[in-house]
């Protein structure tokens, strides 16, 4: 039969907790920044908000504490978080299988990009950590109007690749990634490497959940990618 052929899926990857093991460094950095202005929050409360836009993150935590801050204070808080995170960046590593997964997709001609709520100053150094070139397709918070759970980052990443969102899959470790994926009109794949459980990720919309990038690579056929054919298909 003659019928339209679907293109090989493209992938839009979150960064922290998805490709690099940095979630808890961010948690500690936020706690230090918050403690510096007299807000004492349990680590678990901070962890539940990692992956959100920094602005939404701060507003959510302030709502829980009953505090109010000026816009200038919030900007200073975000800058302090970035400075505290940079102090710990030496302990950040690539997650198991991350470099191999990206290399396998590239070798098969599968398009992919990174879309992160982090600003370029803290996100772009991860490219070297992953063994990626500077021109790797990456969308950071600086480039979009809103970050997760809004879909802007993933819509921008799909546009950067020249693909329709419905032909892409978002890979992320948090419920905020998956909510943004649903709003962007993409399928969502959850990774447990950021600390969220399988059921949480599935409830947020993940149609597949893997432990980390290594398991995703081992089961890549479940996403509709056939590595031995991907580079031969026409979009």
């Amino acid at each position: 039969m003659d019928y339209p052929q679907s293109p090989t899926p493209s992938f839009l990857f979150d960064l922290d907790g998805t490709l690099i093991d940095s979630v808890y460094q961010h948690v500690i950095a936020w706690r230090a920044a918050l403690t510096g202005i007299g807000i004492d929050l349990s680590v678990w409360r901070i962890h539940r908000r990692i992956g959100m836009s920094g602005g939404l993150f701060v507003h959510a935590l302030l709502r829980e504490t009953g505090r109010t801050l000026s816009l200038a204070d919030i900007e200073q808080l975000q800058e302090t978080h970035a400075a505290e995170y940079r102090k710990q960046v030496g302990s950040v590593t690539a997650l198991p299988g991350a470099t191999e997964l990206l290399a396998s997709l590239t070798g098969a001609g599968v398009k992919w990009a990174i879309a992160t709520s982090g600003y370029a100053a803290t996100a772009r150094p991860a490219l070297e950590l992953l063994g990626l070139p500077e021109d790797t397709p990456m969308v950071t918070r600086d480039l979009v109007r809103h970050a997760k759970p809004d879909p802007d980052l993933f819509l921008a990443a799909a546009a950067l690749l020249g693909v329709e969102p419905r032909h892409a899959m978002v890979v992320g470790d948090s419920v905020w990634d998956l909510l943004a994926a649903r709003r962007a009109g993409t399928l969502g794949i959850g990774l447990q490497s950021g600390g969220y459980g399988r059921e949480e990720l599935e409830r947020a919309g993940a149609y597949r959940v893997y432990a980390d990038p290594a398991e995703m690579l081992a089961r890549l056929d479940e996403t509709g990618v056939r590595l031995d054919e991907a580079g031969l298909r026409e979009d």
Side-chain angles (χ1 to χ4, degrees):
M1 290 181 63
D2 184 23
Y3 60 92
Q5 299 231 356
S6 64
T8 300
S10 300
F11 292 89
L12 311 176
F13 288 93
D14 173 52
L15 180 62
D16 297 296
T18 299
L19 296 174
I20 61 174
D21 195 4
S22 57
V23 168
Y24 295 101
Q25 284 86 345
H26 277 293
V27 170
I28 293 169
W30 275 116
R31 190 178 192 198
L34 289 163
T35 299
I37 59 171
I39 297 177
D40 186 22
L41 279 176
S42 300
V43 167
W44 74 269
R45 288 188 179 275
I46 298 172
H47 174 257
R48 306 305 291 175
R49 303 290 181 178
I50 295 295
M52 295 179 73
S53 152
L56 288 180
F57 173 95
V58 172
H59 283 295
L61 293 180
L62 291 177
R63 182 177 63 245
E64 292 182 18
T65 61
R67 288 280 301 271
T68 58
L69 295 175
S70 68
L71 287 177
D73 290 335
I74 291 173
E75 289 180 5
Q76 181 59 50
L77 185 62
Q78 291 176 303
E79 290 175 6
T80 303
H81 159 260
E84 291 291 337
Y85 176 76
R86 283 193 291 269
K87 292 178 183 178
Q88 302 179 70
V89 74
S91 65
V92 175
T93 60
L95 280 161
T99 56
E100 294 83 357
L101 173 59
L102 299 179
S104 294
L105 293 175
T106 299
V110 177
K111 294 180 178 180
W112 59 268
I114 297 172
T116 174
S117 291
Y119 285 85
T122 54
R124 293 202 69 84
L127 294 178
E128 183 177 356
L129 186 65
L130 291 163
L132 299 173
E134 281 294 318
D135 61 354
T136 294
M138 174 184 268
V139 178
T140 58
R141 179 66 182 87
D142 321 60
L143 302 176
V144 297
R145 185 184 299 272
H146 301 294
K148 294 172 280 190
D150 287 280
D152 302 34
L153 284 162
F154 296 129
L155 293 174
L160 188 62
L161 294 179
V163 302
E164 295 183 36
R166 65 191 179 96
H167 293 146
M169 299 185 195
V170 164
V171 184
D173 66 289
S174 75
V175 297
W176 314 111
D177 295 317
L178 297 168
L179 175 56
R182 295 176 73 173
R183 295 176 69 184
T186 74
L187 287 173
I189 296 172
L191 300 185
Q192 294 176 277
S193 41
Y196 278 89
R198 175 179 295 275
E199 291 185 358
E200 291 178 292
L201 296 171
E202 288 176 341
R203 284 200 303 269
Y207 90 101
R208 286 288 184 273
V209 175
Y210 303 109
D212 55 21
E215 186 183 7
M216 180 179 166
L217 175 58
R219 306 175 72 92
L220 200 57
D221 58 295
E222 295 178 348
T223 70
V225 172
R226 298 170 179 83
L227 291 179
D228 57 341
E229 298 179 14
L232 303 177
R233 298 181 61 186
E234 293 183 1
D235 290 353

